[in-house]
Every structure is written in structure tokens, then in C-alpha cells.
Amino acid sequence: MIEKVVFLDIDGVLQPFTQYRFDHIEKGDMDKVYEELLQKTGVDYRQYDKYDVAAVYYDWDVHAVSELKRVLDTADAGIVLSSSWRDETNDRMIDFFRIHELDRYFVDSTPYLESTYDLSHYIAILNLGDDMKYRTREIEILLYLHEHPEIKGYVAIDDMTLKDLGEHFVQTATRLTPELADRCIEVLTVAYSAG
């Protein structure tokens, strides 16, 4: 069982706000990409939205992906996806992570809490204040931790402010940088050794 996790956002962490995918889609490059990915991964990506596939292929920053792998390998951690990229089965995201060889790190996704009832219900269960009612992502992460007591160390990497996670939160501006990755490693190793 995994004891350390990275709660991972995608946009602004792995994917800076670039739009290269549109140029490649307009030029008709996707058939070539599908063939290359089928050879590399064994997955037929034609089953997914071409804009999503192209975003992962063209717009995810290879340096940010490399830094994430360094964090995961150094801290012996797994990925729990907290991004709006989540889906119900996780299958699509596992396939997308496979494009950058991140699939082996994938553990799970945080739950979706969309309704006011869900938020109010879990705010009460987690014994949080009413000021949390607009902090859905933080509640989803805290709920995941509540439901997985085996997790001893964690860091949340996001471009949104998740202030209620305290020192467990590392904020990016456009992508995960080497300095921010160092901070993630420190959070994971210090929290784990103290916990």
C-alpha cells in the first residue's frame, strides 16, 4: 500500500497554458501521432477526444513531467489526481499518463464533490468551518486523506491556492520547476519522517 502521495493538478503544473495542440490538429498531424502512440504504448488513442490527446502530447511540458518523476522517484510516492482532468473510471487518465510514462505512478483520483449537499455533508464529517464551502478541491483532498489513513505523507501541487493544506501545499505559476520539485520532495520526506 502506498504511504506517500502527490495530489496532482494538471493545468498550470504539467501543462503550462500553451495551445500548441491547435496548430498540430489544424495541420492534420494527429493520424501520425495516433500511429506513433499505438506503437509506443499499445493504446489506440483515437477512442479519446483528439484535443485532449493532443494537449497531453504537445502541451504537457517535458521538463515539468521530468521534475514530477524526480519527486515521485525520490520520495517513493504515487499520484492521486486532484485535477479537473479526472474521469469516473481513471482509465482515460492512465492512458494519458502512459504517453509520458507516468502511468506506473498512478494510484487513484480524489472524489468529485459537486453538489452543495456533498460539500456541506463532508464539511461536517471532516469537522471543517463553513468558510470551506467554496474550497471544493481542498475538501476533496482532505476527504481522500480521511478515507485513506494509510497515507503518511502527502503534497498537493496546484496552481490554485489551497491554503488550508498548509505546508503540504506547493503552488505553481505555470509549471512545476526544479525549485518547486525540491520543495515537494522536502514536504514528502519531512512529513513522512515526522509522521
Side-chain angles (χ1 to χ4, degrees), residues 110-129:
T110 57
Y112 275 109
L113 301 180
E114 295 179 7
S115 72
T116 304
Y117 168 78
D118 282 347
L119 293 174
S120 299
H121 177 72
Y122 289 112
I123 286 172
I125 286 176
L126 297 170
N127 203 21
L128 303 171

Side-chain angles (χ1 to χ4, degrees), residues 5-57:
V5 299
V6 170
F7 289 101
L8 181 67
D9 183 29
I10 300 294
D11 296 316
V13 177
L14 296 183
Q15 181 172 316
F17 299 97
T18 55
Q19 303 293 316
Y20 302 124
R21 64 186 169 273
F22 295 107
D23 295 337
H24 290 280
I25 288 170
E26 287 176 17
K27 287 193 310 192
D29 294 343
M30 288 309 292
D31 285 336
K32 181 179 163 190
V33 169
Y34 289 139
E35 287 304 316
E36 176 189 326
L37 291 175
L38 183 61
Q39 293 298 315
K40 176 182 173 184
T41 68
V43 175
D44 184 357
Y45 287 91
R46 287 179 178 90
Q47 65 185 303
Y48 301 118
D49 181 277
K50 68 181 175 183
Y51 292 96
D52 290 341
V53 175
V56 175
Y57 186 85

